[in-house]
């Protein structure tokens, strides 16, 4: 791992590499099934879950519909509460703002609450380039950072690591960047957590600047909300003198009451808990209590692009619970790195193209990284119809290439299929050719399917993708439509 | 729709069934005829357009969807042995019509979509039967395909139909609701991932000790069946329609 997603291969290639890692597959299958089952259990406890989902979707949808107004209200209430509001169009602008504020305080390090937005903009790397060290304080995020690794899950960035690997990372790396791990470190979860705690405590008490994200931003009260399990976030939000929060513009909701369905949906969907251990809310500056300087960076970075997409805009409802990752059969097998983004899994497969467009090959491969099984839609607490958006983004990819001088083989095949399927006589001709191929194949094939039908084993050419691991039944000599004509729909004695 | 007298029922045979699995179509015809329903096979039909839609070729899907609604215009019910194609007619054709910007097509789609039934829905909801008089004395397990399960919501209709089959020993498939990994062009575009998913599904099928794996979509069966065959698992795959069409004579 090089610690950056830049230059990752397209999904099928990255997936193939991941599939070859049996340890990774074991770790993932175990972890996703554990969280999946936990979630299913606590969701089943809520009688009106479906209504709650509708309420959650409704609140977010309403906020998006009037986003500009809510953002202005948010800015005004934050300023009134003593915060400084910055607007960042893209990653570069956002990183520059954070670096500038940090430097203004003459420090060369910040502590961080786990934040998807800052991971999205590559803040740690940008700060490093400015000579500022950014210390992750979330346990899983710390494991990823120390391992010079990449996050592979929204909620559990180190989901792909097991205990033994974590122990090894702590022993090898903690000493380089702060308090070393004790020499007698075991791979007991409690022992590992204690080592992280001691290591981090030192950084919390030393740092003068903290960086956070926010799960929600309430417009009318100017309140930012962070939901977490470990309490490290609370330390970051209260101990340092300066707090910089980087918040995606889609995090805004209109009123405090809007938090109600969202705070009930989130913990059950994400960690499978009835309630998360810590919910912190803050509004600007309180003299003598907590950070005395608060900056809020409102981040666009493609969000207005996504908002303009009629079908795709619903992706901005996402509350980053990660439920869709945990049920996704594709994610379960290949893990997060294959998606080449901090947003992996089903939501990543739609969010990345929506935020950045489909002009590069890696992003364009993401909408196809799904079998469209629909499990993601079923669990999404804010009812994002991910399968429909996937199909729509596939259309965006196809449309992007419509003007290509040399069309892809697939485009040629789809045009040919469209032509054949537009007329039943053309289809019949194509089927007769395949029936002929079937007769030839049937004669040569050495494989017989249970039930007696001839099948093709490994085939060369385009069929190799199928027959690498799957036998293919030989096409029958007679199509259904020919049978129907020959036997008058079976009335002519040929019912079988 | 008792006896379906005076009711015009059309059979929609998916492109995969037509070219690769004609026996499924024949089984539907036999089964429905046994239940007193005469089905037409509108000769102009081709495909539901899903291969194009799901791969992102919406323009290419337009003439195919047009063909679909033309071929099935005027029928009271359209029956298809595929959860996936019924889902396509009900949930995807409107997207294609909108793309075409053709209000007449949109209106036709709105007409045909709701009248398109997956086989188990047609049997249970429209004909009101769960015991179709079938006989199938084999240890059998059932895989609910994703589109029938989630896009259509067929629920327990297929298993109720199977439970009523005489002689059958129906065994639960572990992790039944997990995708088999077929996914149309996904099986080719992401062949490695598709195969990894199919391998797990095949393993779960083998774990049941079933002789026969049944599902309501031939394409998923082609994928899992191809996998089982390569593994020499000795498990036969059959479409739900074929099991429901089986009678004592067939076994004799
Ligand atoms: S898309 Fe839905 S399920 Fe997935 S992370 Fe977002 S809110 Fe959760």
């Amino acid at each position: 791992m090089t610690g950056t997603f830049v230059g990752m291969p397209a999904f099928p290639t990255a997936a193939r590499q991941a599939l070859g890692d049996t340890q990774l597959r074991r770790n993932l299958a175990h972890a996703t099934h554990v969280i999946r089952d936990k979630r299913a259990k606590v969701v089943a406890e809520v009688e009106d879950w479906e209504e709650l989902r509708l309420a959650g979707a409704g609140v977010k949808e309403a906020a998006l519909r009037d986003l500009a107004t809510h953002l202005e209200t948010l800015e005004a209430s934050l300023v009134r509460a003593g915060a400084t509001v910055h607007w960042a169009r893209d990653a570069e602008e956002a990183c520059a703002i954070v670096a500038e504020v940090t430097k203004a305080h003459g420090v060369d390090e910040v502590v961080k609450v786990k934040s998807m937005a800052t991971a999205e903009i590559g803040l740690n790397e940008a700060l490093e380039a400015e000579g500022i060290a950014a210390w992750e304080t979330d346990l899983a995020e710390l494991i990823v950072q120390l391992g010079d690794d990449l996050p592979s899950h929204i909620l559990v960035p180190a989901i792909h690591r097991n205990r033994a690997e974590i122990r090894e990372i702590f022993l090898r790396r903690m000493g380089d960047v702060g308090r070393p791990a004790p020499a007698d470190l075991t791979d007991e979860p409690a022992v590992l957590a204690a080592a992280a705690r001691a290591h981090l405590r030192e950084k919390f008490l030393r740092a003068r600047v903290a960086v956070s994200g926010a799960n929600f931003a309430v417009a009318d009260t100017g309140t930012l909300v962070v939901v977490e399990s470990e309490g490290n976030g609370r330390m970051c939000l209260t101990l340092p003198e300066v707090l910089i929060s980087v918040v995606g513009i889609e995090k805004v909701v209109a009123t405090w009451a809007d938090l109600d369905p969202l705070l009930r949906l989130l913990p059950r969907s994400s960690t499978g808990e009835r309630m998360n251990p810590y919910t912190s809310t803050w509004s600007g500056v309180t003299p003598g209590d907590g950070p005395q300087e608060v900056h809020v960076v409102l981040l666009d970075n493609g969000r207005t692009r996504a908002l303009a997409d009629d079908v795709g805009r619903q992706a901005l409802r996402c509350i980053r619970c990660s439920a869709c990752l945990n049920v996704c059969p594709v994610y379960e097998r290949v893990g997060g790195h294959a998606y080449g983004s901090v947003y992996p899994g089903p939501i990543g497969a739609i969010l990345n193209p929506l935020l950045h467009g489909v002009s590069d090959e890696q992003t364009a491969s993401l909408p196809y990284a799904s079998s469209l099984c629909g499990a993601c839609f079923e669990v999404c607490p804010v009812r994002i119809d991910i399968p429909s958006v996937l199909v729509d983004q596939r259309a965006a990819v196809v449309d992007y290439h419509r003007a290509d001088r040399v069309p892809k083989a697939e485009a040629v095949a789809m045009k040919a299929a469209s032509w054949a399927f537009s007329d039943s006589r053309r289809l019949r001709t194509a089927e007769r050719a395949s029936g002929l191929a079937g007769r030839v194949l049937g004669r040569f094939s050495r494989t017989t399917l249970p039930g007696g039908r001839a099948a093709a084993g490994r085939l060369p050419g385009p069929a190799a993708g199928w027959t690498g691991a799957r036998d293919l039944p030989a096409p029958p000599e007679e199509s259904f439509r020919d049978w129907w004509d020959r036997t008058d729909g079976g009335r002519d004695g040929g019912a079988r | 729709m008792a006896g379906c007298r005076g009711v015009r029922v059309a059979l929609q045979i998916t492109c995969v069934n037509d070219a690769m699995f004609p026996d499924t179509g024949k089984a539907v015809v036999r089964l429905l005829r046994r239940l007193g329903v005469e089905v037409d096979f509108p000769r102009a039909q081709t495909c539901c357009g899903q291969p194009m839609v799901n791969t992102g070729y919406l323009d290419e899907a337009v003439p195919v969807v047009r063909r679909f609604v033309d071929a099935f215009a005027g029928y009271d019910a359209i029956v298809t042995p595929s959860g996936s194609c019924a889902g396509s007619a009900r949930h995807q054709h409107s997207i294609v019509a909108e793309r075409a910007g053709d209000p007449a097509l949109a209106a036709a789609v709105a007409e045909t979509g709701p009248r398109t039934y997956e086989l188990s829905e047609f049997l249970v909801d429209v004909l009101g039967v769960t015991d179709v008089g079938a006989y199938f004395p084999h240890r059998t397990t059932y895989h609910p395909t994703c589109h029938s399960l989630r896009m259509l919501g067929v629920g327990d209709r297929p298993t109720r139909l199977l439970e009523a089959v005489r002689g059958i020993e129906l065994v639960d498939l572990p992790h039944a609701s997990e995708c088999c990994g077929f996914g149309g062009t996904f099986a080719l575009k992401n062949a490695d991932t598709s195969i990894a998913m199919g391998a797990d599904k095949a393993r779960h099928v083998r774990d049941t000790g079933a002789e026969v794996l049944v599902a309501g979509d031939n394409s998923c069966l082609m994928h899992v069946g191809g996998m089982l065959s390569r593994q020499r698992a000795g498990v036969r795959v059959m479409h739900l329609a074929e099991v429901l069409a089986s009678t004592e004579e067939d076994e004799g």
Side-chain angles (χ1 to χ4, degrees):
Chain A
M1 266 310 141
T2 58
T4 167
F5 282 117
V6 177
M8 281 285 279
F11 186 85
T13 309
R16 190 176 315 125
Q17 289 163 8
L19 285 163
D21 184 341
T22 46
Q23 179 66 56
L24 174 83
R25 277 179 72 183
R26 253 198 309 275
N27 294 352
L28 281 166
H30 175 73
T32 53
H33 275 87
V34 167
I35 317 180
R36 191 187 296 188
D37 294 345
K38 254 179 97 182
R39 177 205 158 272
K41 222 171 85 197
V42 298
V43 161
E45 292 173 354
V46 183
E47 239 172 70
D48 58 350
W49 183 255
E50 203 46 43
E51 279 156 52
L52 204 53
R53 273 178 96 201
L54 284 165
V59 160
K60 291 289 285 188
E61 198 56 41
L64 290 173
R65 212 177 302 127
D66 247 333
L67 193 62
T69 318
H70 296 308
L71 286 171
E72 278 164 25
T73 313
L74 177 68
E75 179 180 33
S77 22
L78 278 169
V79 169
R80 214 178 306 127
T84 308
V85 175
H86 311 257
W87 297 84
R89 252 170 313 193
D90 55 21
E92 209 181 315
E93 280 187 13
C95 291
I97 294 163
V98 179
E100 208 176 294
V101 174
T102 308
K103 280 198 207 152
H105 290 272
V107 297
D108 59 2
E109 64 170 6
V110 299
V111 284
K112 284 187 69 201
V113 192
K114 176 179 175 297
S115 143
M116 293 311 296
T118 61
E120 172 192 328
I121 61 175
L123 181 64
N124 293 7
E125 296 74 28
L127 290 179
E128 198 185 317
E130 300 272 346
I132 302 163
W135 308 120
E136 294 292 348
T137 65
D138 170 85
L139 179 54
E141 206 62 69
L142 175 73
I143 295 164
V144 169
Q145 189 175 38
L146 290 176
D148 195 17
D149 198 353
L150 288 166
S152 76
H153 190 276
I154 291 178
L155 187 78
V156 202
I159 193 167
H160 56 296
R161 297 291 199 183
N162 62 27
R163 282 155 41 176
E165 291 172 300
I166 294 166
R167 170 179 176 271
E168 200 266 327
I169 291 168
F170 279 10
L171 277 175
R172 191 162 44 83
R173 289 282 290 135
M174 269 185 175
D176 298 345
V177 294
R179 185 179 173 139
D184 60 350
L185 189 73
T186 68
D187 67 1
E188 283 299 303
V191 174
L192 292 172
R197 192 185 170 89
H199 178 84
L200 289 171
R201 184 61 51 119
E202 210 178 77
K203 287 179 173 153
F204 285 132
L205 294 173
R206 194 175 64 207
R208 288 171 49 214
V209 177
V211 176
S212 87
N215 291 88
F216 307 104
V218 182
D220 67 351
T221 55
T223 309
L224 299 184
V225 183
V226 158
V227 176
E228 48 149 353
S229 297
E230 295 168 16
N232 63 304
R234 181 158 289 190
M235 302 276 267
C236 288
L237 295 170
T238 50
L239 287 174
E241 296 155 27
V242 182
L243 173 61
I244 311 167
S245 303
V246 181
V247 183
I249 52 174
E250 85 286 11
K251 296 287 174 194
V252 70
V253 294
T255 68
W256 182 262
D258 286 345
L259 292 176
D260 173 4
L262 301 174
L263 288 177
R264 285 199 281 158
L265 287 163
L266 183 54
R268 286 188 201 253
S269 303
S270 62
T271 48
E273 292 168 302
R274 296 185 180 91
M275 195 177 178
N276 49 286
Y278 300 89
T279 302
S280 305
T281 69
W282 69 101
S283 310
V285 174
T286 308
D289 186 12
Q292 294 301 294
E293 193 177 314
V294 171
H295 294 265
V296 180
V297 184
L298 294 173
L299 173 73
D300 182 339
N301 206 32
R303 284 159 176 76
T304 47
R305 188 187 185 285
L307 194 67
D309 188 301
D310 283 345
V311 179
R313 61 181 293 172
Q314 57 184 309
L316 295 179
R317 298 208 292 253
C318 176
I319 56 175
R320 312 279 188 260
C321 72
S322 74
C324 58
L325 278 62
N326 300 328
V327 296
C328 176
V330 173
Y331 177 89
E332 176 191 333
R333 281 156 187 101
V334 304
H337 293 158
Y339 295 80
S341 158
V342 293
Y343 301 114
I347 183 62
I350 59 171
L351 198 57
N352 289 300
L354 283 164
L355 294 176
H356 310 301
V358 291
S359 58
D360 81 276
E361 203 202 337
Q362 199 280 330
T363 315
S365 71
L366 296 178
Y368 293 96
S370 165
S371 64
L372 302 179
C373 80
C376 47
F377 181 24
E378 198 172 56
V379 295
C380 178
V382 285
R383 292 184 53 94
I384 301 170
D385 183 355
I386 297 177
S388 291
V389 182
L390 283 166
V391 168
D392 196 60
Q393 285 303 303
R394 290 178 184 187
V397 173
V398 169
D399 290 344
Y400 182 82
H401 289 285
R402 279 198 189 272
D404 285 1
R405 280 204 16 249
V406 184
K408 284 195 280 190
E410 176 192 277
V412 175
M414 284 296 169
K415 281 211 164 57
S418 169
W419 184 80
F421 285 149
S422 304
D423 184 308
S424 57
R425 274 160 312 191
R426 293 177 196 156
L427 178 59
R428 155 172 280 177
T429 311
E431 281 171 354
R432 291 209 171 134
S434 106
L436 185 66
R439 271 200 291 281
V440 176
L441 207 59
R443 202 156 299 159
F444 289 106
S445 87
R446 265 164 277 150
T447 308
T448 310
L449 298 175
R453 184 164 170 185
R458 290 171 201 278
L459 293 175
W466 179 275
T467 57
R470 296 163 283 210
D471 288 340
L472 182 69
E477 293 184 13
E478 188 181 50
S479 68
F480 178 82
R481 71 182 60 238
D482 278 351
W483 169 82
W484 182 281
D485 282 354
R486 184 173 59 79
T487 65
D488 187 21
R491 277 173 280 257
D492 226 5
R496 299 228 60 201
Chain B
M1 208 182 264
C4 283
R5 263 183 297 276
V7 174
R8 298 191 67 212
V9 179
L11 177 60
Q12 194 256 333
I13 287 299
T14 81
C15 55
V16 171
N17 284 352
D18 188 16
M20 293 292 286
F21 302 95
D23 288 349
T24 300
K26 295 176 203 172
V28 179
V29 174
R30 277 211 307 156
L31 171 64
L32 292 181
R33 201 167 282 157
R34 196 168 77 210
L35 296 169
V37 182
E38 262 311 312
V39 283
D40 270 353
F41 177 72
R43 305 293 291 106
Q45 66 175 286
T46 56
C47 162
C48 70
Q50 191 175 195
M52 287 115 217
V53 176
N54 280 358
T55 317
Y57 290 82
L58 293 186
D59 286 348
E60 286 72 8
V62 173
V64 184
V65 169
R66 214 182 281 285
R67 176 103 315 277
F68 187 98
V69 295
D70 284 352
F72 293 104
Y75 285 95
D76 300 301
I78 301 144
V79 188
T80 181
S82 163
S84 200
C85 300
S88 158
R90 250 187 262 168
H91 301 294
Q92 294 192 326
H93 283 185
S94 54
I95 301 169
V96 177
E98 196 176 315
R99 168 84 168 202
D102 180 344
L105 183 60
V109 159
E111 274 284 301
T112 36
R115 284 185 281 114
T116 307
Y117 300 90
E118 181 270 341
L119 179 65
S120 74
E121 293 177 319
F122 182 75
L123 295 172
V124 175
D125 299 353
V126 182
L127 296 188
V129 289
T130 47
D131 184 349
V132 296
Y135 175 74
F136 190 72
H138 299 284
R139 189 175 168 91
T140 304
T141 194
Y142 171 76
H143 166 62
T145 61
C146 298
H147 286 176
S148 61
L149 195 66
R150 302 199 184 86
M151 214 189 227
L152 287 184
V154 300
D156 65 353
R157 291 176 185 84
T159 34
R160 273 157 59 202
L161 289 160
L162 285 170
E163 275 161 8
V165 171
R166 267 172 290 285
I168 201 167
E169 185 192 345
L170 199 58
V171 287
D172 281 342
L173 178 64
H175 304 282
S177 64
E178 287 173 21
C179 177
C180 73
F182 171 65
T185 46
F186 174 76
L188 298 171
K189 279 174 162 290
N190 281 287
D192 301 289
T193 311
S194 165
I195 287 165
M197 291 159 70
D200 288 341
K201 183 60 73 179
R203 180 163 47 84
H204 296 319
V205 171
R206 287 203 312 265
D207 287 347
T208 65
E211 298 162 62
V212 181
L213 168 69
V214 174
D217 274 281
N218 272 124
S219 21
C220 303
L221 285 174
M222 180 168 72
H223 166 69
V224 186
M227 205 107 208
L228 288 164
S229 162
R230 181 64 57 86
Q231 297 169 355
R232 304 275 173 270
V235 182
R236 180 175 183 193
V237 298
M238 281 173 84
H239 192 281
L240 177 68
E242 295 177 274
V243 173
L244 297 181
S246 299
T247 58
E248 245 160 295
E249 279 162 43
D250 303 320
E251 291 295 329

